[in-house]
Amino acid sequence: MTQIPTRIAAWFAAKGWSIHPHQQEMFDRAQDPASLLIAPTGGGKTMAGFLPSLVELADGGHKGLHTIYVSPLKALAADIKRNLRTPVDEIGLPIRIEDRTGDTSATQKKRQRADPPHILLTTPESLALLTSYEDAPRMFDGVQRVVVDEIHALAESKRGDQLMLALARLQHLCPDMRRVGLSATVEDPAAIARFLARHPDPCRIIQADPGPDPDISMLETQEMPPWSGGGAAYAIPAVLDQIRQHKTTLIFHNTRAQAEIFFHNIWLANDEGLPIGIHHGSLDRQQRERVEAAMVRGDLRAIVCTGSLDLGIDWGDVDLVIQIGAPKNVKRLVQRIGRANHRYNAPSKALLVPANRFEVVECVAALEAAKAHELDGESRGSGPRDVLCQHILIAAAAGPFNANTLFTEMTSAGPYAQLTRTEFDACLEFCATGGYALRAYDRWQRLQQRPDGLWQLRDPRAAQRIRMNLGTIQDTDTLKVRLKRNRGGKPLGEVEETFAASLTPGDTFLIGGQIVRYEGLREMVVEVSRRADKKPKIATFSGTKFATSTQLSERILHMFAQPDWPQLPSHTAEWLALQRDMSHLPQRDRLLIESFPNDGRENLCVYGFAGRNAQQTLGLLLTKRMEETGLAPLGFVATDYATLIWGLDEVTDPRPLFQLGALRDGLDKWLAGNAVMKRTFRASATIAGLIERNIGGQRKNGRQATFSSDILYDTLLKYDPNHLLMQITREEAMRGLVDFGRIEAMVARIGDRIDLLRLDRVSPLAAPLFLEVGKVPVKGAAEERLLAEESARLLQVAGLQPM
Amino acid sequence: MNGVDFSFADQHLCALASGALWWPDLKLLCVSDLHLGKSERMARRGAPALPPYDNHDTLNRLAVDLERTKAEMVVCLGDSFDDLDASITLESCEKMQISSLQAGRRWIWIEGNHDPGPIELGGTHLSEWTCGPLVFRHIAQAGGQSEVSGHYHPKASVRIKGRSITRPAFLLDCNRLILPAYGTYTGGLRSSDPALSNLMETGAMAILTGSQPQIIPMPRRV
């Protein structure tokens, strides 16, 4: 077994550090083909991952790239570079360390390909891009180790699937390459180990001491949280108080919009001018970097942030984490709390701030679950085939390939270990010809098989197009926001295109904590001017949706069954009592449905407490029946607890909606026409390479220059419903839904134990649902009725006769 | 007929739900911007191979409109083909389908910016065509009168009770009528875009296509 060289050991000793047991174990196991370290934040994960590389590189004998480090965040790669430089410089090791992300300059990138560093820090997308070049074998020659940081976060998304395919490629180029995964605490380490390892290699799991339980509680406030709302403005004085009492506080929000509103409000109340910053993914890069730098220098007392700071960036002395809004799932809560107090073996301190009364209930349930060490999560199933299609194109961009070799390589990636040859061939066919039932474009095939059997791009220039459209992150299309000046003012950040489309000049909104006025759209840039107003006219742009775990739902239902609620603050207990009084509290063996008018529409709230996927499916099924029975539904939104449906007519009898036979009848057709499917198709078609987001460096304006992906979807549905992309769309959509069989079973179990209550207004429990994101429109008879009424109204207003 | 009847240049016209214009007195059906051959042209240029069913779908919808109206005359208002090569590379079954639609009818192809020259298919090829009081051309001209055109692929959006409804639309004022694109693989330009807002007179109307077409004052930028 290798020993840690004396000068490295001496450096540790000089710092007064001893090597943690899990760091030693990782070092001892450094020759294993794959290992996974599970450690809490602050557990010295990075050093555990890099120590073997530092030792192997210490004698200066290795030429070229030795270790590739992959992290989900650009900022994290930059941060690790800083943290790694310190020991390398202080010990005087002959190691070159560089990062490579979307932010790296073109010159630097070109140089790195010709003369790679010893340690390259990068992201999954940049790594996939590197494997797409013809010179990849030369650049990656001799790579010994790959370290995947925050692998628990990557394993939840298609970015991780893409990374594992890229690693399979690398492994093919460098057979000796060893893999290391670094993960926060997760519920199923074995699943992540299978994800990481070259199939069927074993992967040892090394568990660090999880450390003491975090010190976590609810923030006590003078003010009461509101019935609904997500801003938590009521808690601002109490939060400021906490900031004053701590060195550095991180204030996490579930969405960017909430972070913006909170930041705005805290500045209005920040009379003593405490240095507080904001950081989220929609902000301009320079703005983010400025905040990051201030944080490293210790200039900030607090940062209002979102998931962009979620992952283990090691900045300054954070001694308190505040979570605004219910944490939605226990795992995320525990990982966020890990951000506070980076000293190993000292408890982290965290405070939860519910934004409304329902969230008080959720927070209490989450606290109980965290104390019980119950982590939640769902397994993801096998790797999606849209990512596979993209990877075939990437392979083609790198040069001619043999289909058998590529298949063998891909099935060595954990997520694709179960892939069949038939499935692979369908993907290859799609990449080559489009894979349509109607043979077309034979002359224009994208990939062609040469006489020697290898596949290659018909037009080598296509490689550039493939590289430009690489990646699996499906942001909604966003537009840059700039201050209006003669020659392009300061960039402020980005907003969703749909939000920009809803603005008219004069509208004010929040970005980067300041209020700006919308001036106009110029060449796909939103131009704004600064305003000194106190309140923005339009509060927010839309945010991300998190699903609460079913496990929390169970705890909440359990709580509802209590006669009273001593564990809840009195205001929340009173609020639940009011719900019980005005309507009912949902029960496990009955189905509560509330019907009430609100804002000119009729609403139906169905409390199934079945988890978001099941409630989403229920929304699809119930709107189908409402459309069929002429109740003119307009849309629905699902949470983990309930489905809220709005439409034009009042539901007076729920029984026809729940008739099993009718639910099943024509379901395929209804589902196929739904917005959920169209959204899913758009994402998968983009990843699989049917839709190009980037053409010649310019992201195309999805609205005017081209036609919508919905048209492609409708066309395939009509003429080629079993096309590969339609199969993928159905598979991917089902990840957000549940088997209809499960809903049928639920409906059968409930039987006639359905309580439909007619209320004259929204109930306490239903109020928070109106703020949910992820609304699904239903495009049926209601839309035609609305349009006809609006036409009549507008003509009358204009003094015109209907024609 | 499922459409909105209106009067333009003293003529009785009907905007059909499908996006075609029907002139009952002349038994004339007018469609604009068919963009036949779009998917083939994109594949030819190295873009991904889109589902190759667009020609079939566009021609099928046209066949339905012809069947319903029993039109005796057809005017295609330009950009009927995505480019001139596309008119040559049509599949033989598609050429036959066009021929069968043309049988027993007068057929006029107006030139567009995508198809600015003669094509091999039957029918009359014209840069523009005057019929009674109406002028048919591809792109609206400054100072145009009683002009029927296409080119812009207009669409219009209305916000009703928190929902935004967007549909391809006819735009209509006292001087001109602009048709929505009829081809399956076509997008649209909002009526609020300066290119259209500046073109259309005050008091312009929009007729939204869809299963029940509706007329509204043309939405403009506030």
Side-chain angles (χ1 to χ4, degrees):
Chain A
M1 195 186 297
T2 327
Q3 288 297 312
I4 297 177
T6 354
R7 52 182 174 149
I8 297 183
W11 181 80
F12 268 85
K15 291 266 166 190
W17 295 346
S18 57
I19 291 180
H20 295 309
H22 61 268
Q23 291 173 329
Q24 184 67 48
E25 197 178 349
M26 288 287 285
F27 183 76
D28 296 341
R29 293 267 160 208
Q31 294 307 316
D32 283 9
S35 36
L36 173 66
L37 172 65
I38 310 274
T41 319
K45 266 205 297 270
T46 316
M47 189 43 89
F50 278 107
L51 191 54
S53 295
L54 298 188
V55 171
E56 288 169 33
L57 286 164
D59 64 6
H62 186 88
K63 292 278 168 285
L65 200 51
H66 179 280
T67 297
I68 298 170
Y69 164 91
V70 187
S71 97
L73 288 178
K74 291 185 235 177
L76 194 51
D79 183 57
I80 294 288
K81 188 167 97 177
R82 264 197 309 270
N83 293 346
L84 213 50
R85 274 257 65 95
T86 313
V88 166
D89 289 348
E90 290 183 10
I91 303 169
L93 297 172
I95 301 178
R96 226 171 86 209
I97 306 166
E98 289 173 16
D99 59 347
R100 181 190 183 97
T101 66
D103 294 347
T104 310
S105 75
T107 354
Q108 171 84 340
K109 280 183 178 168
K110 209 170 165 188
R111 197 193 46 67
Q112 282 173 345
R113 276 168 58 199
D115 176 24
H118 296 115
I119 298 180
L120 184 72
L121 313 165
T122 189
T123 59
E125 289 72 27
S126 289
L127 183 64
L129 192 58
L130 279 174
T131 65
S132 80
Y133 292 108
E134 301 83 342
D135 59 7
R138 191 163 50 82
M139 172 168 184
F140 292 115
D141 186 37
V143 169
Q144 296 297 306
R145 304 183 73 233
V146 59
V147 179
V148 182
D149 203 357
E150 308 286 342
I151 191 172
H152 61 281
L154 284 169
E156 283 174 358
S157 76
K158 292 184 182 180
R159 299 182 71 200
D161 300 318
Q162 179 170 56
L163 175 62
M164 290 310 135
L165 288 170
L167 292 192
R169 180 108 271 255
L170 281 183
Q171 196 87 58
H172 180 74
L173 299 173
C174 328
D176 299 336
M177 186 181 81
R178 291 154 283 156
R179 308 176 180 202
V180 168
L182 308 176
S183 170
T185 321
V186 286
E187 74 285 356
D188 188 2
I192 298 199
R194 278 194 304 277
F195 175 80
L196 169 70
R198 166 172 56 183
H199 182 75
D201 283 357
C203 176
R204 179 174 293 265
I205 298 165
I206 293 161
Q207 295 264 10
D209 178 353
D213 276 358
D215 165 13
I216 151 178
S217 54
M218 268 212 289
L219 177 67
E220 284 180 19
T221 58
Q222 295 288 314
E223 295 279 321
M224 283 186 279
W227 276 26
S228 74
Y234 78 95
I236 297 258
V239 168
L240 275 171
D241 223 36
Q242 291 294 329
I243 295 173
R244 255 178 244 118
Q245 292 168 30
H246 291 84
K247 275 203 294 269
T248 311
T249 305
L250 288 186
I251 306 169
F252 276 108
H253 290 259
N254 286 332
T255 71
R256 292 168 186 182
Q258 284 169 356
E260 283 282 355
I261 296 168
F262 190 86
F263 183 66
H264 180 70
N265 286 332
I266 206 165
W267 261 109
L268 292 180
N270 185 8
D271 297 332
E272 56 204 287
L274 290 169
I276 300 173
I278 181 166
H279 190 289
H280 63 69
S282 291
L283 291 179
D284 185 70
R285 178 159 60 90
Q286 289 176 357
Q287 301 243 87
R288 269 182 285 146
E289 283 174 354
R290 208 171 310 136
V291 172
E292 287 163 18
M295 177 86 182
V296 170
R297 285 195 307 270
D299 288 353
L300 294 177
R301 293 290 299 278
I303 295 190
V304 175
C305 58
T306 63
S308 62
L309 276 188
D310 229 356
L311 303 163
I313 300 179
D314 197 356
W315 289 340
D317 269 331
V318 175
D319 54 351
L320 176 66
V321 165
I322 295 182
Q323 161 73 36
I324 308 274
K328 302 295 174 192
N329 80 44
V330 182
K331 190 165 62 178
R332 180 167 279 110
L333 173 67
V334 169
Q335 288 163 2
R336 279 187 175 170
I337 290 171
R339 301 290 314 116
N341 206 338
H342 260 199
R343 274 170 303 133
Y344 190 50
N345 280 334
S348 317
K349 188 170 170 192
L351 289 169
L352 300 186
V353 182
N356 57 51
R357 307 270 174 103
F358 186 76
E359 290 195 348
V360 175
V361 180
E362 284 186 283
C363 284
V364 169
L367 282 174
E368 288 173 1
K371 285 200 176 106
H373 293 273
E374 284 178 17
L375 296 180
D376 38 24
E378 272 174 38
S379 58
R380 253 185 93 234
S382 55
R385 285 190 283 163
D386 47 5
V387 180
L388 201 67
C389 293
Q390 187 180 101
H391 196 75
I392 292 175
L393 291 172
I394 291 173
F401 64 84
N402 176 299
N404 297 335
T405 317
L406 189 63
F407 174 69
T408 312
E409 181 186 301
M410 284 176 159
T411 47
S412 77
Y416 295 95
Q418 310 303 322
L419 182 77
T420 67
R421 183 60 195 244
T422 318
E423 288 171 328
F424 169 82
D425 285 340
C427 292
L428 178 58
E429 176 69 17
F430 166 77
C431 293
T433 67
Y436 300 107
L438 174 72
R439 295 294 300 186
Y441 323 119
D442 277 345
R443 289 195 294 156
W444 314 121
Q445 276 193 324
R446 230 173 174 194
L447 302 183
Q448 285 174 331
Q449 199 166 16
R450 310 194 303 198
D452 66 359
L454 297 187
W455 290 84
Q456 68 174 17
L457 290 172
R458 170 179 61 82
D459 179 353
R461 286 170 300 181
Q464 190 54 24
R465 292 180 87 127
I466 291 166
R467 291 187 190 114
M468 272 192 303
N469 287 284
L470 185 151
T472 60
I473 303 176
Q474 292 296 305
D475 289 341
T476 37
D477 281 333
T478 53
L479 300 177
K480 287 207 175 342
V481 180
R482 276 179 186 277
L483 282 179
K484 187 174 176 173
R485 291 261 167 74
N486 279 340
R487 288 192 298 151
K490 189 176 158 207
L492 297 175
E494 292 181 341
V495 295
E496 280 88 357
E497 192 179 330
T498 44
F499 175 73
S502 74
L503 293 171
T504 43
D507 284 350
T508 50
F509 62 98
L510 275 166
I511 186 158
Q514 47 185 313
I515 293 181
V516 293
R517 179 185 193 274
Y518 176 67
E519 299 291 346
L521 193 63
R522 209 173 77 176
E523 289 163 9
M524 305 307 291
V525 172
V526 176
E527 294 192 323
V528 298
S529 56
R530 280 219 176 85
R531 298 283 291 183
D533 302 12
K534 280 237 155 172
K535 262 200 164 139
K537 186 172 151 202
I538 297 169
T540 125
F541 44 101
S542 53
T544 336
K545 174 144 192 92
F546 290 125
T548 312
S549 62
T550 34
Q551 192 210 88
L552 280 188
S553 301
E554 276 296 309
R555 286 184 179 272
I556 290 166
L557 218 44
H558 190 73
M559 220 185 284
F560 282 170
Q562 296 172 210
D564 51 26
W565 301 279
Q567 79 266 50
L568 293 176
S570 61
H571 48 66
T572 302
E574 283 158 20
W575 176 78
L576 285 183
L578 185 65
Q579 168 73 24
R580 192 174 265 168
D581 195 41
M582 180 179 166
S583 171
H584 289 179
L585 278 169
Q587 288 169 267
R588 194 188 300 266
D589 54 349
R590 301 189 72 83
L591 186 63
L592 172 66
I593 303 179
E594 292 172 341
S595 150
F596 52 87
N598 189 51
D599 199 18
R601 300 194 292 209
E602 276 298 330
N603 297 273
L604 196 68
C605 194
V606 185
Y607 298 93
F609 274 79
R612 182 166 184 273
N613 290 357
Q615 294 288 154
Q616 177 100 348
T617 312
L618 192 62
L620 281 168
L621 292 170
L622 292 179
T623 49
K624 167 182 177 283
R625 289 296 296 143
M626 286 172 74
E627 181 78 26
E628 285 165 356
T629 52
L631 289 166
L634 275 164
F636 67 90
V637 69
T639 71
D640 300 289
Y641 322 114
T643 305
L644 177 70
I645 304 172
W646 51 95
L648 298 179
D649 296 325
E650 176 190 338
V651 175
T652 49
D653 181 5
R655 281 166 306 179
L657 304 186
F658 286 92
Q659 277 163 4
L660 276 177
L663 275 179
R664 218 173 292 134
D665 203 28
L667 179 60
D668 289 348
K669 200 169 161 236
W670 174 255
L671 186 65
N674 187 270
V676 172
M677 298 299 279
K678 293 183 179 179
R679 273 180 210 165
T680 311
F681 175 80
R682 184 176 182 190
S684 285
T686 307
I687 292 171
L690 182 68
I691 300 171
E692 293 180 325
R693 294 165 78 226
N694 297 303
I695 296 173
Q698 278 265 285
R699 186 182 296 183
K700 74 182 159 191
N701 171 0
R703 281 161 193 281
Q704 291 161 7
T706 183
F707 51 96
S708 87
S709 66
D710 290 4
I711 291 175
L712 294 180
Y713 176 83
D714 290 340
T715 306
L716 281 174
L717 186 61
K718 211 157 145 191
Y719 299 104
D720 210 344
N722 282 319
H723 184 261
L724 176 70
L725 270 183
M726 298 302 270
Q727 295 174 25
I728 293 176
T729 301
R730 286 190 287 269
E731 284 163 20
E732 293 302 295
M734 283 314 290
R735 292 178 196 258
L737 301 170
V738 299
D739 281 340
F740 300 112
R742 270 174 66 187
I743 298 291
E744 288 181 347
M746 177 178 120
V747 170
R749 193 177 64 240
I750 294 291
D752 57 359
R753 290 189 300 277
I754 297 177
D755 304 310
L756 176 74
L757 300 181
R758 177 65 182 174
L759 311 174
D760 57 359
R761 63 197 155 91
V762 55
S763 72
L765 212 49
L769 287 167
F770 284 89
L771 299 162
E772 285 293 326
V773 293
K775 297 188 169 87
V776 179
V778 173
K779 300 201 171 184
E783 193 163 271
E784 300 304 324
R785 245 170 78 184
L786 278 177
L787 204 53
E789 286 167 17
E790 183 67 2
S791 163
R793 191 188 68 81
L794 287 171
L795 291 181
Q796 201 191 10
V797 169
L800 299 167
Q801 290 299 312
M803 295 197 198
Chain B
M1 195 78 54
N2 185 11
V4 171
D5 294 314
F6 62 97
S7 145
F8 177 68
D10 292 328
Q11 301 301 308
H12 218 77
L13 301 177
C14 179
L16 298 186
S18 62
L21 177 72
W22 175 234
W23 190 356
D25 290 350
L26 273 80
K27 293 196 173 302
L28 180 152
L29 188 81
C30 178
V31 289
S32 188
D33 297 272
L34 300 179
H35 286 273
L36 295 170
K38 175 126 189 166
S39 58
E40 193 268 347
R41 178 176 176 235
M42 290 184 69
R44 197 189 325 139
R45 294 179 149 202
L50 298 182
Y53 307 103
D54 50 332
N55 292 345
H56 187 63
D57 190 67
T58 303
L59 293 173
N60 277 359
R61 287 185 295 111
L62 184 56
V64 170
D65 271 342
L66 289 174
E67 175 61 29
R68 269 196 205 136
T69 56
K70 310 277 183 240
E72 292 171 3
M73 209 190 304
V74 174
V75 178
C76 297
L77 261 189
D79 288 0
S80 307
F81 298 93
D82 210 45
D83 65 1
L84 285 172
D85 285 346
S87 70
I88 300 161
T89 53
L90 283 186
E91 298 286 327
S92 57
C93 62
E94 289 162 352
K95 286 183 183 162
M96 268 170 55
Q97 196 178 1
I98 293 174
S99 299
S100 76
L101 294 180
Q102 290 180 327
R105 298 191 169 94
R106 193 171 167 206
W107 196 284
I108 294 172
W109 302 105
I110 304 280
E111 287 175 3
N113 50 315
H114 280 253
D115 49 359
I119 46 172
E120 287 177 359
L121 297 161
T124 314
H125 302 267
L126 297 170
S127 61
E128 60 177 60
W129 183 57
T130 306
C131 178
L134 300 184
V135 185
F136 292 85
R137 62 169 65 101
H138 181 56
I139 306 180
Q141 282 180 1
Q145 295 281 330
S146 309
E147 176 191 73
V148 181
S149 64
H151 179 65
Y152 289 102
H153 302 200
K155 65 179 180 182
S157 298
V158 246
R159 280 193 76 79
I160 317 165
K161 296 194 178 179
R163 160 165 303 195
S164 173
I165 301 177
T166 303
R167 304 270 171 90
F170 295 81
L171 303 184
L172 168 68
D173 66 17
C174 47
N175 297 324
R176 54 180 117 247
L177 171 64
I178 303 182
L179 267 57
Y182 195 85
T184 296
Y185 285 178
T186 52
L189 183 67
R190 279 178 205 280
S191 61
S192 56
D193 189 278
L196 287 168
S197 284
N198 298 340
L199 187 63
M200 302 303 288
E201 301 286 338
T202 320
M205 307 295 284
I207 302 171
L208 276 63
T209 60
S211 57
Q212 293 157 29
Q214 300 289 344
I215 186 162
I216 56 167
M218 187 183 95
R220 291 171 186 273
R221 199 160 278 265
V222 195

